[in-house]
Amino acid sequence: GESVGLHLPTLSVQEGDNSIINCAYSNSASDYFIWYKQESGKGPQFIIDIRSNMDKRQGQRVTVLLNKTVKHLSLQIAATQPGDSAVYFCAENGGLTGGGNKLTFGTGTQLKVEL
Amino acid sequence: DTAVSQTPKYLVTQMGNDKSIKCEQNLGHDTMYWYKQDSKKFLKIMFSYNNKELIINETVPNRFSPKSPDKAHLNLHINSLELGDSAVYFCASSQDGGDTQYFGPGTRLTVL
């Protein structure tokens, strides 16, 4: 079946360094991708999204890159801070939108920021 | 103001009991969802409702019955609870026609 997967379950970075979290997807029909941050004991929090007609999108300290050729998505966090420590999920919509929207989530990457 | 809220936050119960989890969103969204997150943090959709109408039912056992009294509320009732139902359940909502889903804080269900 279709799946969304992450390359690394845990990523440790030094405070101030840049973080890169990767995600591979297999559903070529997906045209919407989203990154969530989940802190311990909380629900997933929207970080940034991107549509398949774009290759790159920037937010505040975060950038999402989409490579449709190899079905790869990445989240870059600049100047990583202790507050960035969390589990990060990528998700894709499988080409479904609107009322039938169903996000398929990846397995998550735990980001640990070391002081 | 809380955008998507759930009650209770924690729920501990015995096997065989029936329990409900409530969800409310004040974002004016038309579509609401229930997700289950297992002990390995894997998030999987269970149901979605659009304007009180069931849209997605992901082969969830019929012991789980969602109910949407209005488009701002989506409750989840679970009959005959089993040990395997222990998980964190998240409610989410999105604008009709939109892709971005906003999640609630979760309800941690523990079945003993």
Side-chain angles (χ1 to χ4, degrees):
Chain A
E2 301 293 344
S3 65
V4 179
L6 295 174
H7 294 307
L8 295 172
T10 303
L11 175 65
S12 295
V13 298
Q14 292 289 324
E15 182 181 5
D17 287 351
N18 296 335
S19 302
I20 300 177
I21 302 172
N22 296 303
C23 179
Y25 66 96
S26 56
N27 189 342
S28 57
S30 293
D31 58 8
Y32 174 81
F33 305 87
I34 187 168
W35 282 98
Y36 286 95
K37 171 186 180 183
Q38 186 178 20
E39 296 174 274
S40 181
K42 296 184 178 179
Q45 176 187 359
F46 170 82
I47 301 174
I48 192 167
D49 57 3
I50 189 168
R51 297 206 173 271
S52 58
N53 60 352
M54 301 173 68
D55 297 323
K56 179 180 179 179
R57 192 169 186 215
Q58 287 184 293
Q60 187 176 12
R61 282 201 306 119
V62 294
T63 301
V64 55
L65 298 177
L66 175 62
N67 185 330
K68 295 179 287 295
T69 303
V70 295
K71 298 191 186 73
H72 184 268
L73 189 69
S74 68
L75 176 70
Q76 300 179 1
I77 304 173
T80 312
Q81 302 169 358
D84 295 327
S85 294
V87 177
Y88 289 80
F89 293 95
C90 65
E92 47 95 7
N93 74 343
L96 301 174
T97 59
N101 184 16
K102 181 178 82 170
L103 291 179
T104 299
F105 281 78
T107 52
T109 293
Q110 174 77 57
L111 176 65
K112 295 184 178 180
V113 182
E114 299 171 349
L115 303 176
Chain B
D1 288 342
T2 304
V4 182
S5 60
Q6 296 178 226
T7 54
K9 186 164 176 64
Y10 300 97
L11 185 53
V12 181
T13 188
Q14 299 286 333
M15 262 195 323
N17 284 350
D18 303 337
K19 291 293 179 185
S20 292
I21 306 171
K22 296 185 176 181
C23 178
E24 176 181 2
Q25 53 92 7
N26 62 7
L27 297 167
H29 290 168
D30 300 276
T31 307
M32 296 184 72
Y33 311 80
W34 278 109
Y35 285 82
K36 180 180 180 180
Q37 186 172 49
D38 63 22
S39 58
K40 297 181 180 178
K41 296 282 192 182
F42 185 66
L43 265 166
K44 185 171 169 52
I45 191 165
M46 301 172 68
F47 302 101
S48 89
Y49 268 73
N50 180 258
N51 278 314
K52 303 192 296 176
E53 182 182 343
L54 180 65
I55 302 296
I56 296 173
N57 181 339
E58 284 290 299
T59 60
V60 177
N62 58 15
R63 297 182 297 103
F64 290 79
S65 53
K67 285 187 171 55
S68 182
D70 55 63
K71 70 176 189 178
H73 295 83
L74 181 62
N75 304 322
L76 183 65
H77 188 76
I78 315 170
N79 289 326
S80 303
L81 279 156
E82 301 177 357
L83 293 176
D85 297 333
S86 294
V88 182
Y89 292 84
F90 288 101
C91 177
S93 72
S94 67
Q95 188 67 36
D96 191 19
D99 293 294
T100 309
Q101 296 181 21
Y102 297 90
F103 283 77
T107 296
R108 180 175 292 278
L109 171 65
T110 303
V111 182
L112 303 175

